[in-house]
Every structure is written in structure tokens, then in C-alpha cells.
Amino acid sequence: MQIYRLEDKCSNCMLCVRECVSGIWRNVNGVPTPVEIDLCNRCSHCIAVCPKNAIVHEGLDAKQALPVKSLKIDPEAYRGIVLSRRSVRQYKDRAVPRELIGRILDLARYSPTASNDQNVGFITVTDRALIGEIAGGIFGFADRLAARLETGPGRLFMKVTGLAKNRYIRRMDYAREMVAGGRDIILHNAPVMILVHGPAKGSFVCDNCSIAATNIINYAHALGLGTCYIGFMTLALRFSKKLGKKLKVPEGRKVYASLVMGYPAYSHPNTVSRKKADILWIEKSVNS
């Protein structure tokens, strides 16, 4: 791999040196010079910051280095996306085009990752029968577990452990009624399920996947789609190797976020109520 500057274009502004967190680009006798190239983590920042397009990096795809539009996103528009996005649990019986899903995931790959590891992967399921089968299996397991807790020893266990107050257990009878009526309370009859995965071992992998998942849900909302985080799905995959194989989770990888997606059955005309932000300000004292 080679990294070098085009001398006829370089203005010696040193922005590449100031931007390079890996210390590849350095000021050598007043000239920006790449050193210890093997330590480069391919973050692309040197290319992104160069105002003269004077850097050649053979470890990166130059075709992806496109000019950034000077028009910035309207802050109020982005605020509107965040405030109006809802966790959607009712979807239209309408398929989401593969191209649109691909567009969303293509944006998600630009999400930041620690040390630019780019170790986030996606599994997209559009097989409605498989989605229904998995939802039924997860609810069936929960139903059997709840049935055991309804026995004499089970009620004693719940009382001792405090599980008797658990909101999911308390509403299990209602959940059974909804499922009997044809409602999917696990994956919500969604036409798409997306699993965000990364290495089973490693630092900040969960953070990387969570950032990507956040970009997915916000961009999907901006495109007129609805999404919902499915914690039960992530939890089930944590304990069931059989389920992981069914969903083709790669060996040595772990699902850190599970989402469903589709066209919302109805809109939410209002924003919601939230707690006040818990903020601790640490500021310089005027007396110090």
C-alpha cells in the first residue's frame, strides 16, 4: 500500500498532518510526509480534509471520495426527524423495495466505528414466512416459561424474586389473546427485519452497531418508513445458537441490535412526552 501527495497540487497547508490521528502524516522539514504507512487505519480523513485533492491513498477507493455539498442539513429538519420518529408496531401489508433497503444500509456503512474498524455487518430478512415463524417461536418460548411461573412453585419464585411485578408477566394473558387473534406482538408482522452484527469479542463493538442502527432508523423515517428496535430478538439470539444458524449469523459474530421495518399503517400527528434531560454541568467557577 502506498500513500503519497501530489507535489504539483499540494499547498503545504498541513491539514492532513493536523487531521491524522494515527500519526501517519507528519511535518517533515516543512513538508507533509507520510511515515509508518502500515499503521494507517484507512479512516480517509486525510483525503476528506485536503482542499487540493493532492493525496493519493492506494488502500482506499478514490471513487468514493466525492465533493461534499456545501449545503448543510437544516438543523430544524433534523430535529423534526428525531422528534417525530416513533417505534412503529403496526405496518401496512406492503413490501419494501430491495433498492430502498439497500439505500438505507449503504448510508449506515458510513456510521463511525471505533478505530475505524468498520466491523459492522447487516442481515436483512424479507421472507415474511420466516419472520412469522421466528416471532411465533419466541412468543411460544415466553408463553411456556410464563405457564411454569403460574404454577404453585412458580408463583412462590415470582414473589421471592419480585417477578410478580414484571410488566410483561402481568400482561401475559392479554398477550395470549392478541396472539390468538392473529397479532404478532414480537416482530409486529413487519415485512423487513434487520440484524446489526459485529465481532463477538472486541472493544466498542456494541457501540459501533448501535450507532449504525440509529442511523438506520432515522434515515428510514426520513424516507417514509417506520422501524422498531426488537430487544426480544436480540435476547433470543444471545441464547439460541439454533436461531442464529437459521438467520445465518456468521461464526464468531454476535447480533447487537435487531430492527423491524416497513411502511407504517398510520401516522403519529403529535410528538411525545419525555423526561427532562438529566444534565450535570461542570463549568469553570468565576471564583477559581
Side-chain angles (χ1 to χ4, degrees):
M1 180 178 68
Q2 293 188 46
I3 305 173
Y4 57 93
R5 67 188 181 93
L6 301 174
E7 295 183 13
D8 59 328
K9 288 187 175 183
C10 180
S11 64
N12 282 7
C13 66
M14 296 295 174
L15 287 178
C16 55
V17 176
R18 294 166 60 184
E19 184 71 9
C20 184
V21 69
S22 296
I24 307 304
W25 284 95
R26 301 185 189 180
N27 184 338
V28 179
N29 299 322
V31 178
T33 306
V35 299
E36 298 189 77
I37 292 174
D38 60 304
L39 295 178
C40 176
N41 70 357
R42 296 176 175 82
C43 71
S44 306
H45 279 213
C46 57
I47 291 177
V49 78
C50 182
K52 301 295 184 179
N53 294 323
I55 293 177
V56 177
H57 193 311
E58 294 184 351
L60 301 171
D61 182 0
K63 294 179 181 178
Q64 294 190 41
L66 303 174
V68 175
K69 295 181 180 179
S70 59
L71 179 63
K72 302 294 183 181
I73 185 172
D74 184 338
E76 287 305 308
Y78 186 74
R79 177 180 171 83
I81 289 172
V82 174
L83 290 179
S84 62
R85 188 210 65 80
R86 300 271 67 80
S87 293
V88 175
R89 298 179 177 87
Q90 297 277 356
Y91 294 95
K92 293 180 179 178
D93 186 13
R94 175 184 172 189
V96 180
R98 181 188 179 99
E99 295 75 17
L100 189 56
I101 301 172
R103 181 179 171 186
I104 293 169
L105 297 183
D106 185 64
L107 178 71
R109 72 186 173 97
Y110 285 92
S111 302
T113 54
S115 298
N116 194 41
D117 281 338
Q118 298 185 53
N119 53 7
V120 177
F122 310 98
I123 297 172
T124 304
V125 183
T126 56
D127 183 337
R128 300 290 293 273
L130 178 59
I131 292 174
E133 176 188 338
I134 291 170
I138 293 175
F139 179 77
F141 174 79
D143 188 23
R144 291 190 297 273
L145 180 61
R148 290 187 179 184
L149 293 175
E150 290 168 358
T151 63
R155 286 194 294 271
L156 178 60
F157 175 78
M158 286 197 296
K159 183 177 180 180
V160 172
T161 60
L163 277 175
K165 297 180 180 179
N166 182 278
R167 59 176 178 170
Y168 294 109
I169 292 176
R170 290 177 61 186
R171 66 186 187 192
M172 195 62 195
D173 286 342
Y174 181 59
R176 288 170 177 143
E177 290 179 13
M178 288 192 291
V179 171
R183 182 168 177 180
D184 173 3
I185 65 172
I186 303 296
L187 300 177
H188 311 298
N189 292 118
V192 181
M193 178 170 65
I194 298 174
L195 307 177
V196 187
H197 62 86
K201 296 181 181 180
S203 301
F204 310 113
V205 183
C206 182
D207 305 77
N208 296 342
C209 291
S210 295
I211 294 170
T214 299
N215 280 328
I216 289 172
I217 65 175
N218 283 339
Y219 190 40
H221 178 51
L223 291 171
L225 293 165
T227 58
C228 185
Y229 272 91
I230 308 296
F232 283 130
M233 186 75 231
T234 306
L235 187 64
L237 283 165
R238 187 178 303 171
F239 294 103
S240 175
K241 292 183 178 180
K242 182 178 179 181
L243 182 58
K245 288 182 179 179
K246 183 184 289 272
L247 289 169
K248 300 182 180 179
V249 178
E251 189 72 26
R253 308 278 289 188
K254 176 181 174 182
V255 171
Y256 292 89
S258 305
L259 311 168
V260 291
M261 182 170 69
Y263 291 97
Y266 47 83
S267 63
H268 295 77
N270 303 306
T271 58
V272 296
S273 173
R274 288 288 186 265
K275 298 178 182 178
K276 290 184 178 180
D278 184 359
I279 303 173
L280 172 63
W281 295 94
I282 300 179
E283 300 176 302
K284 183 177 180 180
S285 172
V286 294
N287 298 321
S288 62

